[in-house]
Amino acid sequence: MIVPMTRVRILGPRDRFDVTLAAVQDFGKVHLSQGPAHVGVSPARLDARTQRRRAQLTRVLADVDEALQALGAAATPAPAP
């Protein structure tokens, strides 16, 4: 008998992982398999065209911030990284 499966990813605090995994296994609907061996997130590599566009947009943003300052307008704070 072929049983349809769905891949799931469990996210949350690492210190609660064991308790969470035990609860999911007790539910009896999850089969664990070895995940891919990804080391982590790698930074995006921009091609030359995209790097130029990024630099242009950064300059435009600086110009807008300078114009807002000159006009006395309150710029909105930058989002947290």
Side-chain angles (χ1 to χ4, degrees), residues 3-4 9 20 22 25 35 40 42 50 54 61 67 71 73 78:
V3 178
R9 181 175 291 176
T20 303
Q25 286 178 311
S42 61
T50 307
R54 182 175 190 250
L61 182 58
L71 293 171

Side-chain angles (χ1 to χ4, degrees), residues 19-63:
V19 174
T20 303
L21 187 58
V24 170
Q25 286 178 311
D26 287 346
F27 184 60
K29 299 293 182 185
V30 175
H31 170 76
L32 298 180
S33 64
Q34 185 65 28
H38 295 294
V39 176
V41 177
S42 61
R45 301 193 191 279
L46 304 177
D47 60 8
R49 180 176 184 225
T50 307
Q51 286 177 344
R52 284 192 306 274
R53 185 67 175 151
R54 182 175 190 250
Q56 291 169 346
L57 292 172
T58 301
R59 286 192 300 268
V60 167
L61 182 58
D63 291 345

Side-chain angles (χ1 to χ4, degrees), residues 4-22:
M5 291 192 249
T6 301
R7 178 177 288 189
V8 297
R9 181 175 291 176
I10 300 172
L11 301 173
R14 190 174 294 272
D15 62 333
R16 304 276 322 225
F17 180 74
D18 291 334
V19 174
T20 303
L21 187 58

